[in-house]
């Protein structure tokens, strides 16, 4: 049962809903991965990377809310539960224990790369059926690419 009625066709709603759900899962997991690394980073670049990680967490959390609310606005129920995120995320796992600053940077480069790749696919997928959702996903991608650039510069 959908309480919210969408102006999109059933076919378009399914496609856009899947794109938003995938984006939500990746953003929730990105925030969790960045926070886990944030808590466990060690090394001479601790402070700068530690602060950068918090910026990623903030961005991911803000965008996850925007994406989830966009899904709700078009009649798709967002699912950010832990089991769903664990089953559907594109991001690899974070190792246990302390994480050296160089490894922390690489973990974020890899995580952001995985999410950005899928986000760009979603931007393409939503082009025709829902340019409004596409616009949301474009902004998410732009912000994540900025973080990716900064972490890549750290690894250089």
């Amino acid at each position: 049962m959908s309480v919210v009625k969408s102006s999109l066709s059933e076919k378009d709603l399914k496609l856009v809903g899947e794109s938003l759900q995938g984006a939500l899962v990746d953003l929730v997991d990105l925030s969790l991965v960045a926070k886990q690394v944030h808590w466990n980073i060690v090394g001479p670049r601790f402070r700068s990377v530690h602060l950068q990680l918090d910026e990623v967490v903030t961005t991911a959390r803000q965008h996850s809310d925007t994406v989830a609310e966009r899904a709700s606005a078009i009649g798709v129920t967002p699912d950010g539960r832990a089991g769903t995120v664990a089953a559907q995320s594109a991001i690899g796992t974070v190792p246990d224990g302390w994480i050296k600053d160089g490894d922390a940077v690489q973990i974020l480069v890899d995580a952001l790369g995985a999410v950005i790749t899928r986000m760009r696919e979603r931007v393409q997928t939503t082009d025709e059926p829902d340019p409004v959702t596409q616009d949301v996903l474009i902004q998410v991608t732009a912000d994540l690419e900025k973080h990716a650039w900064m972490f890549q510069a750290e690894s250089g």
Side-chain angles (χ1 to χ4, degrees):
M1 173 184 97
S2 179
V3 176
V4 178
K5 301 298 180 206
S6 175
S7 60
L8 300 175
S9 70
E10 282 298 315
K11 177 185 169 201
D12 288 349
L13 185 61
K14 182 179 185 321
L15 195 68
V16 172
E18 289 171 356
S19 292
L20 287 166
Q21 178 59 36
L24 176 61
V25 162
D26 285 347
L27 288 165
V28 169
D29 200 24
L30 180 61
S31 73
L32 294 171
V33 164
K35 196 47 109 166
Q36 182 66 25
V37 174
H38 167 92
W39 292 325
N40 290 287
I41 186 172
V42 294
R45 295 183 297 163
F46 165 82
R47 181 158 173 73
S48 64
V49 177
H50 184 79
L51 295 173
Q52 257 182 293
L53 289 162
D54 263 345
E55 292 172 7
V56 172
V57 171
T58 298
T59 297
R61 286 180 179 168
Q62 288 172 341
H63 281 308
S64 65
D65 194 49
T66 300
V67 165
E69 288 179 356
R70 177 67 190 152
S72 293
I74 63 170
V76 175
T77 58
D79 185 356
R81 296 174 296 167
T84 301
V85 172
Q88 297 176 5
S89 176
I91 302 173
T93 60
V94 176
D96 291 338
W98 301 116
I99 302 170
K100 292 183 180 184
D101 50 9
D103 294 337
V105 168
Q106 190 59 52
I107 289 167
L108 263 291
V109 167
D110 293 345
L112 286 161
V115 173
I116 289 165
T117 296
R118 288 178 27 145
M119 232 27 110
R120 285 188 157 275
E121 291 167 1
R122 294 176 187 120
V123 166
Q124 292 295 334
T125 299
T126 56
D127 176 34
E128 288 293 322
D130 188 16
V132 176
T133 294
Q134 183 192 41
D135 192 47
V136 169
L137 297 176
I138 287 169
Q139 186 57 58
V140 171
T141 306
D143 288 349
L144 294 179
E145 286 179 342
K146 183 176 179 181
H147 287 299
W149 158 54
M150 292 183 177
F151 274 101
Q152 288 173 31
E154 278 280 338
S155 69

